[in-house]
Amino acid sequence: MVVLFGITTALHIVQAAWSRLWWLFPTAVLAGVMELIGWSGRLWSSINPLAVNPYLMQIVATIIAPTPFIAANFVILGHIIKRLGSQYSRISAKWYTILFCSCDFIALIVQALGGAQAAGAGPNNLNLSIRGGHIMLGGIIFQLVAICTYATLALEFLLRYHHDRPFKRESYPPPKREGALDRGTKRMVFALFMMWIFIFIRRLIDSLTQELSDGWTGRIIKTERYFNVLDGAMIVLAMFTLNFFHPGLLLGKAHQWKDLEASLMDPLRKQEKQTSSQTSESLL
């Protein structure tokens, strides 16, 4: 796991620098670094099982690590919504990113607080460790609800786009879609779906097996092969999926993202100018 996370994190650093999509550093790269810390702690524990520091490293880092990676999915989908047409989305692409990244940040804070309490307790204070585990579990369940809501809204957006059924909003007339999905966007949507499956399995295992509520004595956390497959392997697969289906390759580099933003802003500015001129004429 240390080798695999090391490879995918190094690839994400290179790909983020190449595409100049700097938001990948506090998302995908940060997730990889935290997984590296967590699994290095597990490797250390395998050599020295009674050491406290590696125990603290693994219980905190491996739980929190998927959270920044999930934020990368939110950012990518927000860009796809802008690319295909915000008229097919129940909420705007801007609010989509703000809303779900905020939920992700809240989940991260809750998990960090629980992790800090569990880590401060150490292996000798079982009650405090269990309490910290419950707090972390609350953050995970909140995050699970957020990513399920995210998937539901994303599916609705794709179905509306496919059937060309935009929302009718009073502020702007809904434009018709232009052509079909290009190959790069199709592949990116497929990658988002696959990453969502891996992350969903990972978070579902955290919550439904009551791994944390059992005070670090749950079946998965005590059985190494289960923990390796259902915990580490799911995030490894998600991170390598983003390597192979990288947004810089499929959706373009940073300057192309900026060009899209500029092209979307121009019609809005024109409409704002028309509205302001009409208001001025009516006042005159």
Side-chain angles (χ1 to χ4, degrees), residues 27-262:
T27 54
V29 174
L30 177 60
V33 170
M34 293 182 70
E35 289 286 1
L36 269 172
I37 294 172
W39 285 92
S40 295
R42 287 185 66 79
L43 178 61
W44 185 1
S45 287
S46 70
I47 300 169
N48 189 354
L50 298 181
V52 176
N53 288 335
Y55 165 81
L56 302 181
M57 286 169 58
Q58 61 180 285
I59 64 172
V60 176
T62 57
I63 294 294
I64 297 177
T67 300
F69 186 80
I70 295 171
N73 287 251
F74 299 153
V75 175
I76 293 170
L77 184 62
H79 180 75
I80 290 176
I81 289 173
K82 292 177 184 177
R83 194 184 183 102
L84 300 183
S86 296
Q87 66 271 17
Y88 299 104
S89 177
R90 185 168 293 275
I91 57 178
S92 69
K94 177 182 177 181
W95 279 106
Y96 204 100
T97 304
I98 291 173
L99 177 62
F100 287 103
C101 283
S102 298
C103 290
D104 213 39
F105 181 74
I106 293 170
L108 178 62
I109 295 298
V110 173
Q111 291 171 62
L113 291 174
Q117 188 173 80
N124 297 322
N125 192 336
L126 187 59
N127 290 332
L128 192 59
S129 179
I130 291 175
R131 192 182 308 160
H134 287 162
I135 295 173
M136 295 177 79
L137 186 61
I140 291 169
I141 293 174
F142 175 78
Q143 192 174 60
L144 192 62
V145 172
I147 63 175
C148 287
T149 305
Y150 150 82
T152 303
L153 291 175
L155 180 61
E156 181 192 32
F157 165 76
L158 292 172
L159 288 174
R160 282 185 172 273
Y161 177 84
H162 178 73
H163 295 290
D164 195 14
R165 294 183 178 177
F167 284 97
K168 295 180 181 180
R169 296 188 172 99
E170 296 179 358
S171 54
Y172 304 108
K176 294 294 182 181
R177 65 184 173 94
E178 298 179 1
L181 281 172
D182 61 85
R183 183 177 296 180
T185 307
K186 281 182 180 179
R187 290 178 176 177
M188 196 73 252
V189 170
F190 169 77
L192 286 177
F193 173 74
M194 293 304 298
M195 287 187 288
W196 182 86
I197 292 293
F198 296 138
I199 293 169
F200 179 79
I201 292 172
R202 170 69 172 84
R203 284 318 195 192
L204 191 65
I205 291 302
D206 280 341
S207 57
L208 296 186
T209 61
Q210 295 183 340
E211 176 182 29
L212 297 181
S213 62
D214 287 343
W216 315 105
T217 59
R219 184 178 179 186
I220 289 177
I221 205 168
K222 289 174 63 179
T223 309
E224 186 173 4
R225 61 182 180 274
Y226 293 161
F227 192 84
N228 290 345
V229 172
L230 298 174
D231 183 292
M234 292 298 103
I235 305 302
V236 164
L237 290 172
M239 292 194 67
F240 272 108
T241 298
L242 192 59
N243 285 131
F244 287 112
F245 298 89
H246 196 268
L249 294 171
L250 301 180
L251 303 179
K253 295 184 179 181
H255 67 88
Q256 293 171 283
W257 288 48
K258 291 178 181 177
D259 291 343
L260 176 63
E261 293 283 349

